[in-house]
Amino acid sequence: MYINNYILKSNRIFCSDQHGVIDGYIVIHNNKIHAVEKGFIPSSLENQYKIYDLSGKTILPGFFDAHTFFTGWSLRYIGIDLSNAKTERDVIEVLKTCHSHQDHIFGHGISDNFTTPSPEELEELFPNCRIVIFSTSGDHFWLNTTAINHYGFDLTADCNEAFWKLLDEILHDKNFIKPLFKKYMAMLNTRGITSVKEIGFDEFSGFQNILSELESEEELNLRVHFMSQPVGSNANFEYAEKMMSEYNSDFIRFSGFNRMTDGSISQGNGLLKQPYENQNYKCKLDINWELIQDEVLEADKLGTRFSLNAQGDGAVAKAVDIFSQCEKNANGKLINRHAITEAEFSDPVDLKRMAELGIICEYYPQIQSITSYNDKVGMIKKQIGLERGKNYWNRRKMKDYGVPLCCGTDLPLVIDHIPESIYYSVTGLFPEGGIPFNQANCLTPYEVLESWTFGGAYDFCREDDLGSITVGKLADFAVIDGDILHINPRDCRSLDVYMTIINGKIVYQK
């Protein structure tokens, strides 16, 4: 449905600017916001426009997800569908029917509860044939020796990074990947997502060409800001310069580089300032900080940005140290919008430094959805102790100090659900409810929604045309089917997205 001129009406319009929340209406002309007014719609306008009466629902700017991996999500759909397999033996029998004269068999949809056979066992059954099978969640996979050797899988790496050579192969299969990306966009549209920061490994396997095709065909229902994450080689600055020059439309832009620094605190891979509890090490990983610093400073000189994923307080401090060497304006703020992703466990001293420099934090407001209170708090107690654990997910300090905040999911780790994000980030609760964790570190509903909207626009360097319901900006909206600001945050998970609009076009309606 695409109506050039229309009106959205509601008693709950979250403007995400100085106007706060208003009772009124929004006039859309073509793809832009023509007027934002309080009160009733004049009779003179009622006859000129189609009116969408969204009373009782909340109209917001479209949501931004600052950290997504379409490539990782795509692994859930490669090859044959094995979701009907009831046992491990069923999977093997299906694979046998496909084995004859094939050099590879890909598949997806097996149960996460299945026992994973060893690479050697699968190799014996399917010699010299690359076997790559993913579970429904994508968290578990079957690989044989031939596949491991062919793709050079490093099974100690982050899951997405481990499969970068396989992903390169998949992204070059246009007949598979183009329709799958349409499915991906449609899924995100049902979640109110209108803009993403999409992480692509190295040169993204040329996937930006498919984005351009979709844009020219007017089928790109998502604003895509893509980043390069060096995996197969170091950061390619010639590629970055070319992408900066070629991709600067309203729908596709190059957004710099992304890089992992440390790893999970639960595995001892997060870099800490002080040793882990009852241990003599601060991090099990050997992190090449010199390389990271060189790449960040080179990107800064080029006029683009870097996002560094840091989980431990030591890694956050190192990232701030590196960014502090980048070019600054007269007020001491960074000129390029560099960011730290996650900052799961952080020292308030470094959060204050982040605010002073203007370093953005791309935090994960739904991260508590993938664990339980007992598991997470038990891990924190074991690894860093509950006293240090008081600085876990310390978004309150970030906000109070003035750190620019925006939201990410690390999709497919978590799939966007904005009302659910308020449940976790405001209450400090886990999926089962019960005891809140570090509630003093939580945000307000308004602050979380601001992070999803204007905060995302700022992170994407799009605050001039997106991120708030302001006259002259592009008409991107998400509509929630209730009063998301005033409902008890514990009940937020019952709410959902009712409508999504991108560039004035309704791309989803419940």
Side-chain angles (χ1 to χ4, degrees):
M1 185 187 302
Y2 190 13
I3 301 170
N4 288 335
N5 300 334
Y6 58 94
I7 290 176
L8 302 177
K9 169 189 172 185
S10 177
N11 56 333
R12 300 182 185 96
I13 300 174
F14 179 89
C15 295
S16 199
D17 64 8
Q18 70 273 17
H19 294 108
V21 181
I22 67 169
D23 177 351
Y25 59 96
I26 308 161
V27 182
I28 291 92
H29 280 188
N30 297 312
N31 68 333
K32 290 193 173 182
I33 299 171
H34 179 70
V36 182
E37 301 289 348
K38 296 179 181 179
F40 297 104
I41 301 171
S43 56
S44 59
L45 296 183
E46 288 182 341
N47 298 326
Q48 298 179 44
Y49 296 90
K50 177 176 177 63
I51 297 173
Y52 291 89
D53 188 348
L54 301 169
S55 299
K57 301 175 176 63
T58 307
I59 304 174
L60 307 100
F63 301 129
F64 291 73
D65 188 333
H67 204 86
T68 58
F69 284 92
F70 163 66
T71 49
W73 186 82
S74 71
L75 293 175
R76 301 180 180 193
Y77 297 93
I78 65 169
I80 54 178
D81 184 353
L82 295 163
S83 58
N84 289 327
K86 304 299 182 188
T87 65
E88 294 87 339
R89 175 51 55 188
D90 290 345
V91 175
I92 296 297
E93 292 305 316
V94 173
L95 298 183
K96 283 181 177 178
T97 65
C98 304
H99 182 218
S100 180
H101 308 298
Q102 291 205 50
D103 63 359
H104 73 273
I105 305 174
F106 298 158
H108 66 273
I110 62 172
S111 170
D112 285 289
N113 297 320
F114 283 176
T115 300
T116 303
S118 70
E120 293 74 21
E121 289 173 318
L122 286 172
E123 186 67 27
E124 187 174 341
L125 290 168
F126 307 102
N128 302 314
C129 175
R130 304 191 303 277
I131 303 295
V132 182
I133 310 296
F134 285 91
S135 68
T136 302
S137 71
D139 292 337
H140 302 93
F141 36 85
W142 293 13
L143 307 170
N144 70 343
T145 307
T146 296
I148 291 171
N149 293 337
H150 181 86
Y151 294 112
F153 290 142
D154 175 8
L155 300 184
T156 66
D158 170 86
C159 181
N160 288 321
E161 288 191 0
F163 294 106
W164 69 272
K165 287 185 179 179
L166 172 63
L167 290 167
D168 180 66
E169 185 175 306
I170 292 168
L171 287 171
H172 279 100
D173 183 353
K174 183 177 174 181
N175 292 332
F176 168 71
I177 211 68
K178 187 175 179 180
L180 187 63
F181 190 73
K182 290 181 181 179
K183 181 175 181 176
Y184 176 76
M185 290 190 292
M187 180 272 293
L188 286 172
N189 292 160
T190 68
R191 308 302 179 111
I193 302 298
T194 56
S195 300
V196 294
K197 188 122 60 60
E198 194 63 53
I199 313 299
F201 294 142
D202 298 317
E203 297 178 17
F204 213 172
S205 306
F207 183 69
Q208 58 270 19
N209 297 325
I210 290 178
L211 296 176
S212 294
E213 278 186 23
L214 290 167
E215 183 180 30
S216 65
E217 294 162 1
E218 298 186 355
E219 292 189 72
L220 194 60
N221 292 335
L222 196 63
R223 301 189 194 274
V224 181
H225 302 69
F226 65 98
M227 303 190 88
S228 170
Q229 179 165 318
V231 177
S233 60
N234 293 338
N236 185 334
F237 295 105
E238 287 184 13
Y239 165 77
E241 199 162 13
K242 186 170 187 286
M243 294 300 100
M244 290 167 68
S245 172
E246 292 182 6
Y247 293 94
N248 198 31
S249 73
D250 283 346
F251 273 88
I252 312 172
R253 297 192 183 185
F254 179 69
S255 195
F257 293 93
N258 181 77
R259 194 180 259 289
M260 303 290 292
T261 63
D262 63 345
S264 170
I265 292 171
S266 64
Q267 297 173 335
N269 293 333
L271 175 62
L272 305 185
K273 287 187 169 184
Q274 300 299 325
Y276 281 80
E277 288 288 287
N278 304 313
Q279 302 293 335
N280 59 5
Y281 61 84
K282 298 178 182 179
C283 181
K284 292 180 180 178
L285 300 179
D286 183 16
I287 303 168
N288 191 341
W289 288 106
E290 184 177 353
L291 171 65
I292 294 170
Q293 176 173 299
D294 289 346
E295 289 186 342
V296 168
L297 297 180
E298 186 64 32
D300 189 66
K301 266 195 275 184
L302 189 62
T304 190
R305 50 89 59 92
F306 232 103
S307 292
L308 294 178
N309 189 300
Q311 298 193 41
D313 61 348
V316 172
K318 287 272 194 181
V320 175
D321 288 343
I322 290 171
F323 288 142
S324 71
Q325 300 174 58
C326 294
E327 191 174 355
K328 304 174 188 70
N329 63 21
N331 297 319
K333 301 281 188 184
L334 300 180
I335 290 175
N336 296 307
R337 293 189 185 169
H338 301 299
I340 295 177
T341 305
E342 287 200 75
E344 189 165 295
F345 168 50
S346 55
D347 185 335
V349 169
D350 297 309
L351 299 183
K352 196 168 186 178
R353 294 169 65 208
M354 286 177 66
E356 290 167 352
L357 289 164
I359 300 169
I360 298 163
C361 181
E362 301 168 341
Y363 72 96
Y364 295 168
Q366 293 170 246
I367 195 67
Q368 284 172 250
S369 68
I370 64 172
T371 185
S372 67
Y373 180 91
N374 286 340
D375 286 348
K376 191 67 179 184
V377 177
M379 181 280 292
I380 290 170
K381 183 178 180 180
K382 175 186 175 184
Q383 296 290 73
I384 64 175
L386 294 181
E387 184 60 32
R388 280 192 288 178
K390 291 176 181 178
N391 287 322
Y392 225 86
W393 294 324
N394 201 348
R395 296 148 194 167
R396 180 73 270 146
K397 276 280 196 303
M398 294 179 189
K399 187 67 179 176
D400 291 346
Y401 285 149
V403 176
L405 298 178
C406 65
C407 295
T409 56
D410 203 16
L411 188 159
L413 177 68
V414 173
I415 305 297
D416 303 81
H417 192 298
I418 279 66
E420 181 181 274
S421 77
I422 288 180
Y423 169 83
Y424 294 112
S425 295
V426 173
T427 69
L429 293 170
F430 289 83
E432 71 275 16
I435 305 170
F437 174 68
N438 279 1
Q439 198 165 25
N441 294 351
C442 291
L443 299 172
T444 68
Y446 192 101
E447 290 166 340
V448 176
L449 293 172
E450 191 176 49
S451 300
W452 279 111
T453 55
F454 186 83
Y458 182 82
D459 184 50
F460 288 35
C461 301
R462 297 297 298 271
E463 73 273 17
D464 289 340
D465 59 353
L466 293 167
S468 65
I469 299 176
T470 305
V471 173
K473 290 194 175 185
L474 295 170
D476 287 12
F477 304 98
V479 181
I480 300 292
D481 62 359
D483 187 353
I484 194 168
L485 280 164
H486 297 110
I487 189 174
N488 186 327
R490 289 173 175 260
D491 299 326
C492 256
R493 291 181 292 180
S494 64
L495 298 179
D496 212 342
V497 170
Y498 173 78
M499 179 186 286
T500 305
I501 298 170
I502 299 179
N503 219 40
K505 175 183 175 183
I506 298 174
V507 295
Y508 170 73
Q509 186 167 358
K510 195 172 179 180

